Amino acid sequence: MKVSEIQPQLYQQFSNILQRKHLSHAYLFSGGFGSFEFAIWLSQALFCENLQEGLPCGICRACRLVATEDFADLHVVSPEGQTIKTAQIRTLTQVFSESGYEGKQQAVIIEAAEKMHPNAANALLKSIEEPESEVVIFLLTTNENMILPTIKSRTQVVHFTKNSHHFQHLLEKSGLLKTQAEWLAQICDSPEKAMDLSQQVWFSDGVQRLQQFVKLCATSPSEAFLYLKELVEIFDDKEKQNMAFELLLQMFRQEKMRDELLKTFRAIEMWKSNVRFESCLTFMVL
């Protein structure tokens, strides 16, 4: 999906910035909804060989390579496991001291920036404060409160809020069924993630099982207890379990099941404290 569709207001705002050539050297994109797509688009604007009134053409060699994250002067950093390690950032700061391969400009996208190890964050801070080359840094986070305050204060903070109804409409336009688009719009922060999930058999099966579980919670808690094994089998890792809880929150809200909703919030707290997923579900039923 185009960035102009994902975040139309921010698209207009940044279009004006690009046309005036006023792009800052460091941004903190907070909120997640479309932030990576925007960082890629802005990176394309830095390297595009055929700018259209300051905006990237999207079809030249540089734009195509940036879109696939294969451009030599674009550096994308993601957590290794649950952490962005100090060594990753130190390797990056070495890049900052050099000129780009294709030109003077470089771009850096750091995903899940809140997962930077404190030493990694401090290593990055110096590069933000005293850039040695022409580098534009995009820090992406879903929790800006976990970003080192000294880094946050030295970046331009941009909030990527999600309009779930608009997001659902975009997904429906892309060919998804209304019900499927509705659930995906609630739990996903990017169109790419939503479209990817829509193709996963486990996700469709999982939604159906959660809907059955919600019905049983309302009509027969004893049967709901016996049904837990069905959920544990399909939601078999942390990422899937997090989605299960988010979907349950939405389903209980939709059915106006206040007691179950409150139990789900408590179960999520337990799960985040490393209580087993099955034990958290059992707490919800008993």
Side-chain angles (χ1 to χ4, degrees):
M1 293 183 188
K2 297 179 180 179
V3 291
S4 57
E5 294 179 323
I6 301 170
Q7 290 282 1
Q9 291 184 330
L10 288 179
Y11 173 78
Q12 187 59 53
Q13 176 184 332
F14 274 100
S15 293
N16 293 334
I17 289 172
L18 290 174
Q19 289 164 359
R20 298 197 309 269
K21 298 182 179 181
H22 284 174
L23 199 67
S24 295
H25 77 286
Y27 287 94
L28 176 63
F29 286 175
S30 176
F33 184 58
S35 62
F36 184 81
E37 290 84 354
F38 252 82
I40 288 292
W41 177 65
L42 291 170
S43 297
Q44 288 177 319
L46 296 174
F47 306 117
C48 181
E49 301 160 5
N50 186 29
L51 290 171
Q52 308 291 316
E53 297 183 354
L55 306 184
C57 69
I59 57 176
C60 69
R61 169 184 167 273
C63 282
R64 286 184 280 109
L65 289 175
V66 169
T68 57
E69 302 172 40
D70 288 329
F71 193 70
D73 294 329
L74 171 68
H75 311 280
V76 179
V77 178
S78 303
E80 293 182 355
Q82 295 299 312
T83 309
I84 295 177
K85 297 177 173 59
T86 306
Q88 290 176 268
I89 299 301
R90 285 181 177 161
T91 299
L92 196 60
T93 56
Q94 180 61 37
V95 171
F96 293 163
S97 66
E98 305 166 354
S99 295
Y101 289 101
E102 305 261 352
K104 293 182 178 180
Q105 193 80 58
Q106 295 186 80
V108 173
I109 301 173
I110 300 180
E111 297 186 272
E114 73 278 2
K115 294 185 178 181
M116 278 191 291
H117 186 279
N119 291 339
N122 282 310
L124 180 66
L125 178 61
K126 184 177 180 182
S127 296
I128 293 177
E129 290 179 320
E130 302 172 8
E132 298 180 49
S133 58
E134 295 183 30
V135 179
V136 178
I137 302 172
F138 302 100
L139 301 170
L140 315 184
T141 182
T142 55
N143 189 347
E144 65 178 270
N145 294 322
M146 293 180 67
I147 299 295
L148 196 69
T150 47
I151 286 183
K152 186 176 177 181
S153 66
R154 287 163 177 77
T155 61
Q156 295 285 327
V157 180
V158 181
H159 293 99
F160 283 73
T161 57
K162 179 169 70 173
N163 183 327
S164 296
H165 292 297
H166 177 63
F167 190 15
Q168 179 182 335
H169 177 65
L170 291 178
L171 294 177
E172 289 179 37
K173 283 177 59 179
S174 298
L176 298 189
L177 296 175
K178 183 176 181 179
T179 302
Q180 190 179 32
E182 179 182 5
W183 295 126
L184 288 167
Q186 296 294 338
I187 66 171
C188 293
D189 282 327
S190 77
E192 286 186 347
K193 179 67 174 177
M195 296 304 294
D196 178 63
L197 272 179
S198 72
Q199 304 300 316
Q200 303 294 323
V201 174
W202 74 263
F203 180 76
S204 298
D205 290 346
V207 170
Q208 291 178 2
R209 294 187 193 188
L210 288 172
Q211 289 173 320
Q212 179 63 20
F213 175 68
V214 169
K215 289 180 181 177
L216 292 174
C217 285
T219 60
S220 178
S222 59
E223 288 188 45
F225 178 76
L226 296 174
Y227 195 73
L228 294 183
K229 185 179 178 181
E230 300 282 338
L231 300 182
V232 174
E233 285 179 353
I234 198 164
F235 296 100
D236 56 3
D237 63 35
K238 281 287 188 181
E239 184 178 1
K240 292 179 181 178
Q241 290 164 10
N242 185 56
M243 290 182 190
F245 280 127
E246 290 188 33
L247 285 167
L248 282 172
L249 288 174
Q250 297 301 325
M251 291 176 183
F252 285 135
R253 283 196 186 98
Q254 191 174 74
E255 298 298 324
K256 298 180 180 180
M257 298 169 65
R258 185 175 180 277
D259 290 343
E260 287 75 9
L261 186 62
L262 293 175
K263 286 183 180 179
T264 306
F265 281 119
R266 176 57 183 148
I268 292 172
E269 291 177 3
M270 294 165 58
W271 177 75
K272 288 182 177 179
S273 299
N274 294 319
V275 177
R276 291 171 59 244
F277 182 60
E278 185 173 7
S279 299
C280 296
L281 294 176
T282 300
F283 164 79
M284 292 170 58
V285 174
L286 296 179

